[in-house]
Amino acid sequence: MSAKLDKIGADWEKARTKRMEWEAREKELETRYKEQENAEICDVAHSYNLSPDRLAELLRMVQTTLPESAEAQKVTDSFHEEEEAHEN
């Protein structure tokens, strides 16, 4: 191969390696973010002395009693989209 082709190939390989490193870093940060988010949710639930069953009941109750406003619907839709994105 030519020197130019060798250099481009080396740069290409370096870019692929960096991409894999960044993807791994992204997954690590996503995992840490979710863990911290869950810890904070648990802290809030514990600060109100809520058991998991009571928390679920409270969330269901709030969901069914919230007024159906455009803003509330946006929040609900956003939540469901995020759930679907995390599942995929």
Side-chain angles (χ1 to χ4, degrees):
M1 287 199 239
S2 70
K4 280 187 176 184
L5 205 50
D6 290 342
K7 179 165 178 13
I8 292 169
D11 287 345
W12 186 16
E13 183 60 35
K14 193 163 45 170
R16 287 192 305 206
T17 300
K18 285 289 184 192
R19 183 188 72 215
M20 289 187 298
E21 290 171 0
W22 276 105
E23 286 174 352
R25 177 76 173 139
E26 178 189 21
K27 287 182 187 217
E28 174 193 343
L29 288 171
E30 180 182 9
T31 299
R32 288 177 48 201
Y33 184 92
K34 286 179 184 179
E35 288 173 354
Q36 182 60 36
E37 186 177 50
N38 289 339
E40 290 182 20
I41 291 168
C42 287
D43 288 347
V44 169
H46 287 231
S47 72
Y48 286 95
N49 295 319
L50 294 173
S51 68
D53 292 336
R54 181 68 179 125
L55 178 60
E57 179 185 331
L58 180 63
L59 292 172
R60 276 192 300 278
M61 185 176 66
V62 168
Q63 187 177 23
T64 59
T65 59
L66 279 178
E68 285 300 321
S69 67
E71 192 61 33
Q73 189 61 45
K74 284 182 192 176
V75 171
T76 303
D77 291 345
S78 172
F79 175 75
H80 290 300
E81 288 172 5
E82 287 178 20
E83 270 188 337
E84 290 174 3
H86 288 288
E87 289 173 0
N88 296 331

